[in-house]
């Protein structure tokens, strides 16, 4: 009888831990999903929140004449399959909050089909303390593109050359 009670107690604790982890992830996505932040900034915060070891800041490469920003981040984790699945859910929410839909790694504005950002995530071969790493790559339209029609046209050309 004591063994059964012990198993039920352990199972209850494990279930509560699992549910609280899910709630923390949803709450976090809700807090960082603000459309006032760039997708890159939001993703940097998401990655830092998902890792125990602080990841080195990665540089953002700006292409002002082409109208976009380019970003990559590699992070160590215990299970890149799980990290990739959680990131896909997270980035889909980010896209939806910006009024878009995510198709073939592109988030496009639902009404006009304009490209907002491109994202790609994959396992990465890197020596980590946890033996697994993941890389995310984002190409995002610059926020002030609406002020310059020449740059806006260059962004569309660039997006098309990248598979949009």
């Amino acid at each position: 009888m004591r063994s059964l009670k012990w198993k039920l107690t352990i199972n209850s604790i494990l279930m509560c831990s699992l549910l609280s982890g899910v709630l923390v992830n949803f709450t976090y996505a809700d807090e960082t999903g603000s459309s006032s932040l760039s997708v890159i900034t939001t993703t940097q915060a998401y990655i830092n929140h998902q890792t125990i070891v602080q990841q080195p800041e990665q540089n953002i490469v700006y292409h002002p004449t082409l109208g976009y920003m380019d970003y990559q981040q590699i992070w160590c984790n215990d299970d890149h399959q799980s990290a990739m699945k959680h990131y896909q859910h997270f980035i889909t929410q980010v896209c939806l909050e910006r009024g878009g839909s995510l198709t073939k790694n592109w988030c496009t504005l639902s009404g006009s089909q304009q490209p907002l950002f491109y994202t790609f995530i994959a396992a990465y071969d890197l020596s980590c303390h946890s033996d697994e790493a993941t890389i995310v790559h984002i190409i995002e339209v610059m926020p002030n593109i609406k002020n310059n029609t020449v740059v806006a046209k260059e962004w569309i050309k660039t997006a098309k050359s990248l598979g949009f």
Side-chain angles (χ1 to χ4, degrees):
M1 187 68 160
R2 182 175 178 189
S3 176
L4 181 61
K5 187 174 182 181
W6 178 252
K7 285 180 184 178
L8 287 173
T9 302
I10 295 296
N11 284 339
S12 296
I13 290 170
L14 290 174
M15 187 58 78
C16 287
S17 296
L18 175 69
L19 290 174
S20 67
V22 169
L23 290 175
V24 166
N25 277 338
F26 283 135
T27 302
Y28 178 76
D30 213 29
E31 290 169 0
T32 61
S34 169
S35 59
S36 65
L37 298 174
S38 76
V39 174
I40 292 170
T41 303
T42 303
T43 299
Q44 286 175 324
Y46 173 81
I47 290 170
N48 286 334
H49 182 74
Q50 297 299 313
T51 58
I52 296 170
V53 178
Q54 186 69 25
Q55 304 301 304
E57 256 332 282
Q58 299 295 313
N59 291 328
I60 301 169
V61 179
Y62 295 91
H63 301 275
T65 58
L66 298 175
Y68 75 96
M69 305 173 282
D70 194 353
Y71 165 80
Q72 284 190 78
Q73 176 74 51
I74 300 165
W75 81 95
C76 297
N77 50 64
D78 294 329
D79 178 5
H80 61 252
Q81 292 297 332
S82 177
M84 291 178 356
K85 184 177 105 182
H86 289 287
Y87 176 78
Q88 281 301 116
H89 175 75
F90 166 77
I91 204 69
T92 299
Q93 286 301 116
V94 170
C95 182
L96 287 171
E97 289 172 3
R98 284 166 172 70
S101 62
L102 195 62
T103 307
K104 295 183 181 178
N105 298 332
W106 280 97
C107 176
T108 58
L109 203 54
S110 294
S112 64
Q113 294 300 304
Q114 294 295 311
L116 297 175
F117 65 88
Y118 168 86
T119 184
F120 178 77
I121 187 166
Y124 190 76
D125 187 20
L126 177 74
S127 290
C128 284
H129 63 284
S130 62
D131 296 329
E132 297 201 24
T134 306
I135 185 168
V136 66
H137 184 202
I138 297 173
I139 297 170
E140 179 180 7
V141 64
M142 293 183 77
N144 60 352
I145 198 168
K146 294 175 187 162
N147 301 339
N148 188 327
T149 57
V150 173
V151 175
K153 287 178 184 176
E154 288 301 316
W155 161 241
I156 296 299
K157 280 189 215 174
T158 302
K160 287 180 180 178
S161 75
L162 296 169
F164 177 69

